[in-house]
Amino acid sequence: MPELPEVETAARSLAPQVVGRTIVGVERLDWERMVETPPAPLFRELIVGRRILAVRRRSKWLLIELEGGWTLAIHLRMSGRLTVHDAAEPARHHVHLVLRLDDGRRIFFDDERKFGRVRLLDAAGLAALDAAHGPEPLDERFTAEALARALAGRRTRIKPLLLDQRTIAGMGNIYASEALWLARIHPLTPAASLNTGAIVALHGAIRQVLATAIAHEGSSLRNYRNGYGRQGQNQEHFLVYDRAGMPCQRCGTPIERIIVGQRSTFLCPVCQPITG
DNA sequence: CATTACCTGCAA
DNA sequence: TTGCAGGTAATG
C-alpha cells in the first residue's frame, strides 16, 4: 500500500503522538514472521524501557529512533497501518503488534495481509538499510543530473526502473504511473533512450506528484490510514492511476491500463509517446 | 527478464 | 471462482 507520501504522512502524524514517550511493554506479537530481527524474546527485551526520540522516514521505511542507538524500522508493505490509541481502544483481529507507552496509550501495527515487517536495528544495521536505497527524491541532492546518472546506460524500461528502490527511494506503483503521465513518457520507454529534456521533465514530475500527494496526506485506496487513523485524500486527485477508460486530463483520449513487470500501469496512449 | 511466493479480502 | 490489490524477495 504505502509509497513515499503515505509513509511520510504516517511519520509526521505519529511523531507528535509518541516522541518523548517510553515504550513500557509489548502487549501483542502474534505473527512471528513480522519481526525479522532480532528474535522475539530479544526484541521485547531490547525495546521495553526505551524512550522514543524521533519518528522519520527513509524510502518506504518508517524509522522510530529509540534511546541507546536503536531504531525500530517498520515497513508497511501492502496493507500495514500504524496508529495510536487510548488505553481503552480494543485491538482488532488484524493488529499483530501492540506497543504500550508510558502514558497508557498504545501503538497498533495493523496488517491485514501480513506482509509488513519490523526490524530493530543498531547503528550498523541502520547504515546498511540506508545504503540499500537510492536517493530521496524530495531531497535537494536529488537533481535532474543525479537522475540522469541513475538512468545512464540502463536499457531496461523506465517504469520498472522507477519501482526499483535503488534507483529512487520510495517510488511505488501509483506514483510511477502518475509521474510518467505528467512527464509525457511512455512506461515502456528504455531508460537510456530518454533525452535530457525528458529527464528534466521526469525529475520535476516525480517531485511534483510526491509533494502533491504529501500535501493531500497520501492516497487511501483500501487500507492506508495515518497515525490518527485518518484516510488520505490524494486518491481524489489521481492523474491516471486507476482511471482506465476515463478521459485523459490533457487530451481526452481514454486512459489505458497495461501490465508492465507484472504490475498494472496506466497511461495516455496519445500524449505519452514511446520514445519519451 | 519472467514467474512465484508471501497473505487476506473484496469485487466481478 | 477468478482476478486483483499501494511491496519485496526468492526463484528459473
Side-chain angles (χ1 to χ4, degrees):
Chain A
M1 131 209 156
E3 307 180 25
L4 183 155
E6 290 74 37
V7 182
E8 180 67 28
T9 302
R12 291 182 186 182
S13 58
L14 286 166
Q17 303 188 84
V18 305
V19 169
R21 301 268 62 84
T22 295
I23 298 171
V24 297
V26 178
E27 295 195 342
R28 184 190 293 184
L29 207 183
D30 65 0
W31 182 249
E32 297 156 21
R33 308 167 76 155
M34 187 159 81
V35 179
E36 293 182 321
T37 183
L42 187 56
F43 173 79
R44 290 171 180 269
E45 181 187 324
L46 284 170
I47 69 169
V48 170
R50 293 192 194 274
R51 199 157 53 97
I52 296 171
L53 304 179
V55 181
R56 60 191 181 89
R57 177 195 60 75
R58 167 67 170 129
S59 191
K60 297 173 192 171
W61 285 89
L62 196 82
L63 303 177
I64 301 177
E65 295 177 11
L66 306 178
E67 283 178 304
W70 293 99
T71 299
L72 194 54
I74 298 177
H75 201 302
L76 304 176
R77 292 284 181 95
M78 292 291 266
S79 61
R81 49 168 94 156
L82 273 180
T83 49
V84 182
H85 302 271
D86 291 331
E89 184 81 16
R92 67 171 198 145
H93 174 59
H94 294 298
V95 174
H96 299 298
L97 174 64
V98 174
L99 303 180
R100 175 172 285 278
L101 304 175
D102 59 350
D103 61 357
R105 306 191 82 205
R106 298 186 294 171
I107 300 174
F108 290 178
F109 186 9
D110 183 305
D111 189 10
E112 192 171 272
R113 294 179 71 179
K114 300 179 177 172
F115 289 165
R117 293 295 182 263
V118 176
R119 300 176 185 170
L120 183 64
L121 303 173
D122 59 15
L126 185 61
L129 182 78
D130 182 65
H133 294 83
E136 285 292 330
L138 297 178
D139 190 290
E140 60 185 13
R141 288 168 293 184
F142 178 67
T143 59
E145 291 72 29
L147 178 61
R149 283 194 296 276
L151 303 185
R154 303 298 300 270
R155 280 178 294 180
T156 184
R157 300 166 301 181
I158 185 63
K159 201 243 182 179
L161 195 55
L162 291 179
L163 295 183
D164 184 336
Q165 301 301 293
R166 294 167 300 188
T167 309
I168 301 172
M171 290 295 290
N173 204 42
I174 292 178
Y175 302 107
S177 277
E178 297 285 277
L180 289 169
W181 179 86
L182 199 55
R184 303 179 187 241
I185 296 169
H186 195 288
L188 298 178
T189 308
S193 77
L194 294 172
N195 61 32
T196 301
I199 291 173
V200 168
L202 180 56
H203 169 260
I206 288 168
R207 292 169 61 99
Q208 184 177 326
V209 299
L210 295 175
T212 298
I214 290 171
H216 292 136
E217 300 191 305
S219 302
S220 289
L221 278 75
R222 294 179 170 71
N223 301 286
Y224 179 71
R225 298 292 185 280
N226 71 12
Y228 296 103
R230 277 208 316 273
Q231 296 194 23
Q233 303 302 317
N234 194 64
Q235 66 280 6
E236 294 165 24
H237 302 272
F238 283 160
L239 304 168
V240 281
Y241 185 82
D242 208 17
R243 291 177 57 85
M246 300 168 72
C248 171
Q249 295 181 47
R250 275 190 302 246
C251 73
T253 304
I255 296 301
E256 285 184 1
R257 171 182 176 271
I258 63 175
I259 302 297
V260 181
Q262 322 305 116
R263 312 295 302 278
S264 280
T265 303
F266 299 86
L267 71 146
C268 172
V270 169
C271 52
Q272 290 173 262
I274 188 79
T275 54

